[in-house]
Amino acid sequence: MEALRKKAHEIITGGQVKVIIGYGEGSPERARAIFAQTPAEVDQLIFDQRCLQNLAVYLMKPEVKALGKMAITASKNVLRSILQLASENQLTDADLVVIGITDDGGVIEFPNLQAVEEHIKAAGTPAKNEDRARIEEIDKKPLEERWQYWQEQLSACVKCYACRSACPMCYCTRCTVECNQPQWIPAPSHHLGNLEWHIMRAMHLTGRCIECGECGRACPLGLPINLLTQKLAAEIESQFDWQAGMSLKVENPLSTFKPDDKENFIK
Amino acid sequence: MATERKILKKESLGPLFEKMNAAGKRILAPRKTGEQIRFEPVTSANEIAADFVQSTASAKWAVFPAVEEMLSFRSLDKETKLEAKQSKPQPTVVFGIRPCDAAAFKALHAVFATDYKDDLFLDRWEQITLIGMSCTKADDYCFCTSVGGNPGSTVGSDILLTPLANGDFLAEILTEKGQQLVASLDGLFAAGGSDIDKESLLAKVTPKFDAKQMKAKMDAVFNNEKLWTRQSLRCIGCGACAFVCPSCSCFDIQDERYGGKGQRLRCWDSCGFGLFTLHTSGHNPRHTQAQRWRQRLMHKFSYGPEKYELPGCVGCGRCSRACPTDMNILGHLLEIAEEKL
Amino acid sequence: MSAENLYKPYVMKIEKITQEAPEVKTFKLVFTDEEEGKNFNFKAGQFGEYSILGEGESTFCIASSPTRKGYIECTFRRAGRVTSALARLEEGDTMGFRGPYGNTFPIDDWKGKSLLFIAGGIALPPMRCVIWNALDLRENFKDVTIIYGARTVNDLVYKHELEDWGKRPDVKLITTVDPGGETPDWKGEIGFVPTVLEKAAPSSANTIAIVCGPPIMIKFTFPVLTKLGFTPENIFTTLENRMKCGIGKCGRCNVGKYFVCKDGPVFTFAQVKELPPEY
Ligand SMILES: Cc1cc2nc3c(=O)[nH]c(=O)nc-3n(C[C@H](O)[C@H](O)[C@H](O)COP(=O)(O)OP(=O)(O)OC[C@H]3O[C@@H](n4cnc5c(N)ncnc54)[C@H](O)[C@@H]3O)c2cc1C
Ligand code: SF4
Ligand code: SF4
Ligand code: FES
């Protein structure tokens, strides 16, 4: 924490950035995002195991951008999000300073996004998180049971769009569900509307989801919808040996064409 | 109506549900699924979640569903035909609703019954009986006592149960609807309870602010853009707060047509969404999250109370618990209370 | 009001469609149920929810005058999903309408006064209702002045009526188009509405000003009127917030302590000044 605050002080007092997006104390036992703009606010920065929110979402928020040049305290998930966003031309070196944080609260300095990419690549394939195990468990169920499971889960969805709002990669100014000429996805949170919404959300994140699980944490009804996007991430990994948020280049298998792409799915 | 006190024995809970089922009533009660507690249809007392502070989502859908048919129609080529109205809603008992949520039903009623009478809502309302359950536990997010409620408040309930140490319940029969229900369940409610010190059984929730002063303060800081921007920076503009809130009543209207049939539907909406006020032209009267956050608070603590003479927030704390970015409403309110003018 | 369901629309038949300007049409609507038509009453300034079942509802003011019975008219610009669907309808087709909603221009209080109407673009329809209402009761009022501007000559709506009004000796009509929007044979003014208003400098003595137009026009018109001596209480306007229910339930049009749909859409400048700038 000391190292983090020291670095943060340096760039705020040095005038390098106007705001540092980081974590601070929140409601009892919770941590929350804070936006440190003064040395006093920098002293409130923390990092511990409660700091799970994927802060990269704020890099896309107009009200935060309006504060001026940003710095962000970035755990591994945030770093991968940054790379993914940069690969989609949403971020450049001019927009931000990245302060990497290791799991034990140490600081990694990154002179630029290139350095972030090198760091992430060097760290190698991300460890499989426990969500992958849950996905495998669901996959083991017979088709009918799986269908039943998702029907039940998704029927509780109220379309608050917290899953969308919490995801750094959901930055479209007008989401497909809001396009009404024609109305591609039914807006109401009835059976069909929910099903289509979640299929659409998962499809739009395929090859872009960095598996931070933020959508699932954000859902006020505790629906495990992160398993949908993460299942597709697993699918992309097994089919194309590829993971999102590992590089600055646009290489998402679903957005790029390669002459040697597998065609075995065309039947 | 004068309140009548009775005792509901713990052994009577099972028969209570059986009899209500037999009478054709739908019973909604808090059920636990994973970490979540939601009001869902139940048939037996065994299904009810035990020992919790507050359900994750509210019971408001019983009178104001997340999606509801406003009208249905058939359209064949150029001819349009409205279908006759659907049958009346089923008689429903909401069992185990917290006093804050029962008060929220009153707040909803004020919106839908003031001036134009919203029959979609009122039809459901007529069929609803609320059996409240006093709180013996509260958490850091609760603030009912700051907005006119308390853990044993009878406001809004038709019958209020207060758990006793021995597992039985003190029953307060508060309205005619409550009386009718008790009468239909002959014998389940026993005489007694007049000497019970209800207050001592309740959770302690210290008042944190005065609602009237909060209104005045909020009107006074309306133009303090810095304040609203600071508070809302971490807000990501989702609708989680509004959709778990028992008193949020804003809605959208959406049409759907499949083949020659269709429906006009009423759906929950939230003032926190940028889309809520967006004109088709692209002009948006509330174009920043700060303005939308301010609207949420103003609506609940200033405009609503002024219009309906009822609090627009009942202090259940759900929005704070549900918020993915920890927008703690009480924390924000206390900050506003301390704002220098 | 249809008693059975607050949100149930009247089924209306489109009797006549007039193309007013590019993308702007006027529908003349008659009730398919005669009884409903007979019982239907409204006042100048009110609006309704016009709909196509399956596409949705859209908010327009009632553009005809309450003095003309048996039908209502609306004039709308094609904008989004609902208006696009409406624009595809033909004479003889049916559509939905519910209303009338909202408050009204206090036209009865204006007896014996002069009236100054200032409108811009597609905002003439809300005004047309009250203009016709006043002209049908012409003897009740002193001078009647209409200043109407649009971006281009092509964008002026109600061209025939403008012509009629222009010919009337008891109406002073000034039309204007934005610089560059004129045609070679354009005889009206060239300039923005506030500028033209300042030049025309109508008297504020015993006069009510009614202003409808895009927010930017309204913003620049108020100061000119103030300069001309109009008090905020004597300037009327209509606000346009996005609406759904039209009856103070859905919360969408809430601005400050008002629901624009129920407490408005007609407001005095005195009221508007007190409102948060969220319209
Ligand atoms: C009091 C008042 C009077 C008016 N009078 C007139 C008039 O006389 N003439 C005129 O031309 N205009 C008038 N307007 C403006 C007119 O209401 C709008 O221009 C028009 O409704 C927009 O077109 P649309 O309905 O086709 O828009 P759309 O954008 O297609 O909207 C369709 C419906 O869906 C909703 N909607 C749109 N996008 C979304 C989304 N992403 N998600 C969910 N719902 C959505 C809309 O609210 C609407 O109900 C008036 C407005 C008001 C408030
Ligand atoms: S956060 Fe949960 S309830 Fe909200 S839209 Fe997503 S899945 Fe549905
Ligand atoms: S605003 Fe929050 S605390 Fe108040 S009633 Fe709604 S959910 Fe509960
Ligand atoms: S349009 Fe629904 S409240 Fe005004």
CSV table of all heavy atoms in Angstrom, one decimal, chain A residues 230-258:
chain,number,residue,atom,x,y,z
A,230,GLN,N,-17.9,-16.5,-19.9
A,230,GLN,CA,-16.7,-17.2,-19.6
A,230,GLN,C,-16.7,-18.6,-20.4
A,230,GLN,O,-15.6,-19.1,-20.7
A,230,GLN,CB,-16.5,-17.4,-18.1
A,230,GLN,CG,-16.1,-16.0,-17.5
A,230,GLN,CD,-15.8,-16.1,-16.1
A,230,GLN,OE1,-16.3,-15.3,-15.3
A,230,GLN,NE2,-14.9,-17.0,-15.6
A,231,LYS,N,-17.9,-19.2,-20.5
A,231,LYS,CA,-18.0,-20.4,-21.3
A,231,LYS,C,-17.5,-20.2,-22.7
A,231,LYS,O,-16.8,-20.9,-23.3
A,231,LYS,CB,-19.4,-20.9,-21.3
A,231,LYS,CG,-19.8,-21.9,-22.3
A,231,LYS,CD,-19.2,-23.3,-22.1
A,231,LYS,CE,-19.6,-24.2,-23.2
A,231,LYS,NZ,-18.8,-25.4,-23.2
A,232,LEU,N,-17.9,-19.0,-23.3
A,232,LEU,CA,-17.5,-18.7,-24.6
A,232,LEU,C,-16.1,-18.4,-24.7
A,232,LEU,O,-15.4,-18.7,-25.7
A,232,LEU,CB,-18.4,-17.6,-25.2
A,232,LEU,CG,-19.8,-18.1,-25.5
A,232,LEU,CD1,-20.7,-16.9,-25.9
A,232,LEU,CD2,-19.9,-19.1,-26.6
A,233,ALA,N,-15.5,-17.8,-23.7
A,233,ALA,CA,-14.1,-17.5,-23.6
A,233,ALA,C,-13.3,-18.9,-23.6
A,233,ALA,O,-12.3,-19.0,-24.3
A,233,ALA,CB,-13.7,-16.7,-22.4
A,234,ALA,N,-13.8,-19.8,-22.9
A,234,ALA,CA,-13.2,-21.1,-22.8
A,234,ALA,C,-13.3,-21.8,-24.2
A,234,ALA,O,-12.3,-22.4,-24.7
A,234,ALA,CB,-13.9,-22.0,-21.8
A,235,GLU,N,-14.4,-21.6,-24.8
A,235,GLU,CA,-14.6,-22.2,-26.2
A,235,GLU,C,-13.6,-21.6,-27.2
A,235,GLU,O,-13.0,-22.3,-28.0
A,235,GLU,CB,-16.1,-21.8,-26.6
A,235,GLU,CG,-16.8,-22.8,-27.5
A,235,GLU,CD,-16.9,-24.2,-26.9
A,235,GLU,OE1,-17.0,-24.4,-25.6
A,235,GLU,OE2,-16.8,-25.1,-27.7
A,236,ILE,N,-13.5,-20.3,-27.1
A,236,ILE,CA,-12.6,-19.6,-28.0
A,236,ILE,C,-11.1,-20.1,-27.8
A,236,ILE,O,-10.3,-20.3,-28.7
A,236,ILE,CB,-12.6,-18.1,-27.8
A,236,ILE,CG1,-13.9,-17.5,-28.4
A,236,ILE,CG2,-11.4,-17.4,-28.4
A,236,ILE,CD1,-13.9,-17.4,-29.9
A,237,GLU,N,-10.8,-20.3,-26.5
A,237,GLU,CA,-9.5,-20.7,-26.2
A,237,GLU,C,-9.2,-22.1,-26.7
A,237,GLU,O,-8.2,-22.4,-27.3
A,237,GLU,CB,-9.3,-20.7,-24.6
A,237,GLU,CG,-7.9,-21.0,-24.3
A,237,GLU,CD,-7.6,-21.0,-22.8
A,237,GLU,OE1,-8.6,-20.7,-22.0
A,237,GLU,OE2,-6.5,-21.4,-22.4
A,238,SER,N,-10.2,-23.0,-26.6
A,238,SER,CA,-10.0,-24.4,-27.0
A,238,SER,C,-10.0,-24.5,-28.6
A,238,SER,O,-9.3,-25.3,-29.2
A,238,SER,CB,-11.0,-25.3,-26.4
A,238,SER,OG,-12.3,-25.2,-27.0
A,239,GLN,N,-10.8,-23.7,-29.2
A,239,GLN,CA,-10.9,-23.7,-30.7
A,239,GLN,C,-9.8,-23.0,-31.4
A,239,GLN,O,-9.3,-23.4,-32.4
A,239,GLN,CB,-12.2,-23.1,-31.1
A,239,GLN,CG,-13.5,-23.9,-30.8
A,239,GLN,CD,-13.5,-25.3,-31.4
A,239,GLN,OE1,-13.2,-25.5,-32.5
A,239,GLN,NE2,-13.8,-26.3,-30.6
A,240,PHE,N,-9.4,-21.8,-30.8
A,240,PHE,CA,-8.4,-21.0,-31.5
A,240,PHE,C,-7.1,-20.8,-30.7
A,240,PHE,O,-6.3,-20.0,-31.1
A,240,PHE,CB,-9.0,-19.6,-31.8
A,240,PHE,CG,-10.2,-19.7,-32.7
A,240,PHE,CD1,-11.5,-19.8,-32.1
A,240,PHE,CD2,-10.1,-19.7,-34.1
A,240,PHE,CE1,-12.6,-19.8,-33.0
A,240,PHE,CE2,-11.2,-19.7,-34.9
A,240,PHE,CZ,-12.5,-19.8,-34.3
A,241,ASP,N,-7.0,-21.4,-29.5
A,241,ASP,CA,-5.9,-21.2,-28.7
A,241,ASP,C,-5.6,-19.8,-28.5
A,241,ASP,O,-4.5,-19.3,-28.7
A,241,ASP,CB,-4.6,-21.9,-29.4
A,241,ASP,CG,-3.5,-21.9,-28.4
A,241,ASP,OD1,-3.7,-21.8,-27.2
A,241,ASP,OD2,-2.3,-22.0,-28.9
A,242,TRP,N,-6.6,-19.1,-28.1
A,242,TRP,CA,-6.5,-17.6,-28.0
A,242,TRP,C,-7.3,-17.1,-26.8
A,242,TRP,O,-8.3,-17.6,-26.5
A,242,TRP,CB,-7.1,-17.0,-29.3
A,242,TRP,CG,-6.8,-15.6,-29.4
A,242,TRP,CD1,-5.6,-15.0,-29.9
A,242,TRP,CD2,-7.6,-14.5,-29.0
A,242,TRP,NE1,-5.7,-13.7,-29.9
A,242,TRP,CE2,-6.9,-13.3,-29.3
A,242,TRP,CE3,-8.8,-14.4,-28.4
A,242,TRP,CZ2,-7.4,-12.1,-29.0
A,242,TRP,CZ3,-9.3,-13.2,-28.1
A,242,TRP,CH2,-8.6,-12.0,-28.4
A,243,GLN,N,-6.7,-16.1,-26.1
A,243,GLN,CA,-7.4,-15.4,-25.0
A,243,GLN,C,-7.4,-13.9,-25.2
A,243,GLN,O,-6.5,-13.3,-25.7
A,243,GLN,CB,-6.7,-15.8,-23.7
A,243,GLN,CG,-6.9,-17.2,-23.3
A,243,GLN,CD,-6.2,-17.5,-22.0
A,243,GLN,OE1,-5.0,-17.3,-22.0
A,243,GLN,NE2,-6.9,-17.9,-21.0
A,244,ALA,N,-8.5,-13.3,-24.7
A,244,ALA,CA,-8.7,-11.9,-24.8
A,244,ALA,C,-7.8,-11.1,-23.8
A,244,ALA,O,-7.4,-11.7,-22.8
A,244,ALA,CB,-10.1,-11.5,-24.6
A,245,GLY,N,-7.5,-9.9,-24.1
A,245,GLY,CA,-6.7,-9.1,-23.2
A,245,GLY,C,-5.3,-9.5,-23.0
A,245,GLY,O,-4.7,-9.3,-21.9
A,246,MET,N,-4.7,-10.1,-24.0
A,246,MET,CA,-3.3,-10.5,-23.9
A,246,MET,C,-2.4,-9.7,-24.8
A,246,MET,O,-1.2,-9.9,-24.7
A,246,MET,CB,-3.1,-12.0,-24.2
A,246,MET,CG,-4.0,-12.9,-23.3
A,246,MET,SD,-3.5,-13.0,-21.6
A,246,MET,CE,-1.9,-13.9,-21.8
A,247,SER,N,-3.0,-8.9,-25.7
A,247,SER,CA,-2.2,-8.2,-26.7
A,247,SER,C,-2.8,-6.9,-27.1
A,247,SER,O,-4.0,-6.7,-26.9
A,247,SER,CB,-2.0,-9.2,-27.8
A,247,SER,OG,-2.3,-8.6,-29.0
A,248,LEU,N,-1.9,-6.1,-27.6
A,248,LEU,CA,-2.4,-4.8,-28.1
A,248,LEU,C,-3.0,-4.8,-29.5
A,248,LEU,O,-3.5,-3.8,-30.0
A,248,LEU,CB,-1.3,-3.8,-28.1
A,248,LEU,CG,-0.9,-3.1,-26.7
A,248,LEU,CD1,0.4,-2.4,-26.8
A,248,LEU,CD2,-2.0,-2.3,-26.3
A,249,LYS,N,-2.8,-6.0,-30.2
A,249,LYS,CA,-3.2,-6.1,-31.6
A,249,LYS,C,-4.7,-6.6,-31.6
A,249,LYS,O,-5.1,-7.4,-30.7
A,249,LYS,CB,-2.3,-7.0,-32.3
A,249,LYS,CG,-1.0,-6.4,-32.7
A,249,LYS,CD,-0.3,-7.0,-33.9
A,249,LYS,CE,0.2,-8.4,-33.7
A,249,LYS,NZ,1.4,-8.5,-32.8
A,250,VAL,N,-5.4,-6.2,-32.6
A,250,VAL,CA,-6.7,-6.8,-32.8
A,250,VAL,C,-6.5,-8.2,-33.4
A,250,VAL,O,-6.2,-8.4,-34.5
A,250,VAL,CB,-7.5,-6.0,-33.9
A,250,VAL,CG1,-9.0,-6.2,-33.6
A,250,VAL,CG2,-7.2,-4.6,-33.9
A,251,GLU,N,-6.7,-9.2,-32.5
A,251,GLU,CA,-6.5,-10.6,-33.0
A,251,GLU,C,-7.7,-11.4,-32.6
A,251,GLU,O,-7.7,-12.6,-32.8
A,251,GLU,CB,-5.3,-11.2,-32.4
A,251,GLU,CG,-4.0,-10.6,-32.8
A,251,GLU,CD,-2.8,-11.1,-32.1
A,251,GLU,OE1,-3.0,-11.5,-30.9
A,251,GLU,OE2,-1.7,-11.2,-32.7
A,252,ASN,N,-8.8,-10.8,-32.1
A,252,ASN,CA,-9.9,-11.6,-31.7
A,252,ASN,C,-10.4,-12.5,-32.9
A,252,ASN,O,-10.7,-12.0,-34.0
A,252,ASN,CB,-11.0,-10.6,-31.3
A,252,ASN,CG,-12.4,-11.3,-31.1
A,252,ASN,OD1,-12.5,-12.5,-31.1
A,252,ASN,ND2,-13.4,-10.5,-30.8
A,253,PRO,N,-10.4,-13.8,-32.6
A,253,PRO,CA,-10.7,-14.7,-33.7
A,253,PRO,C,-12.0,-14.4,-34.4
A,253,PRO,O,-12.2,-14.7,-35.6
A,253,PRO,CB,-10.7,-16.1,-33.1
A,253,PRO,CG,-10.0,-15.9,-31.8
A,253,PRO,CD,-10.1,-14.5,-31.4
A,254,LEU,N,-13.0,-13.8,-33.7
A,254,LEU,CA,-14.3,-13.6,-34.3
A,254,LEU,C,-14.3,-12.3,-35.1
A,254,LEU,O,-15.3,-12.0,-35.7
A,254,LEU,CB,-15.4,-13.6,-33.3
A,254,LEU,CG,-15.7,-14.9,-32.6
A,254,LEU,CD1,-17.0,-14.9,-31.9
A,254,LEU,CD2,-15.6,-16.1,-33.5
A,255,SER,N,-13.2,-11.5,-34.9
A,255,SER,CA,-13.2,-10.2,-35.7
A,255,SER,C,-12.2,-10.2,-36.8
A,255,SER,O,-12.0,-9.2,-37.5
A,255,SER,CB,-12.9,-9.0,-34.7
A,255,SER,OG,-13.5,-9.2,-33.5
A,256,THR,N,-11.3,-11.2,-36.8
A,256,THR,CA,-10.3,-11.2,-37.8
A,256,THR,C,-10.3,-12.4,-38.7
A,256,THR,O,-10.8,-13.5,-38.2
A,256,THR,CB,-8.9,-11.1,-37.1
A,256,THR,OG1,-8.9,-12.1,-36.1
A,256,THR,CG2,-8.6,-9.8,-36.6
A,257,PHE,N,-9.9,-12.3,-39.9
A,257,PHE,CA,-9.9,-13.4,-40.8
A,257,PHE,C,-8.5,-13.9,-41.0
A,257,PHE,O,-7.6,-13.0,-41.2
A,257,PHE,CB,-10.5,-13.0,-42.1
A,257,PHE,CG,-10.4,-14.1,-43.1
A,257,PHE,CD1,-11.2,-15.3,-43.1
A,257,PHE,CD2,-9.4,-14.0,-44.2
A,257,PHE,CE1,-11.0,-16.3,-44.0
A,257,PHE,CE2,-9.3,-15.0,-45.1
A,257,PHE,CZ,-10.1,-16.2,-45.0
A,258,LYS,N,-8.2,-15.1,-40.9
A,258,LYS,CA,-6.9,-15.7,-41.3
A,258,LYS,C,-7.2,-16.8,-42.3
A,258,LYS,O,-8.1,-17.6,-42.2
A,258,LYS,CB,-6.2,-16.2,-40.0
A,258,LYS,CG,-5.8,-15.2,-39.1
A,258,LYS,CD,-4.8,-15.8,-38.0
A,258,LYS,CE,-4.4,-14.7,-37.1
A,258,LYS,NZ,-4.3,-15.3,-35.7
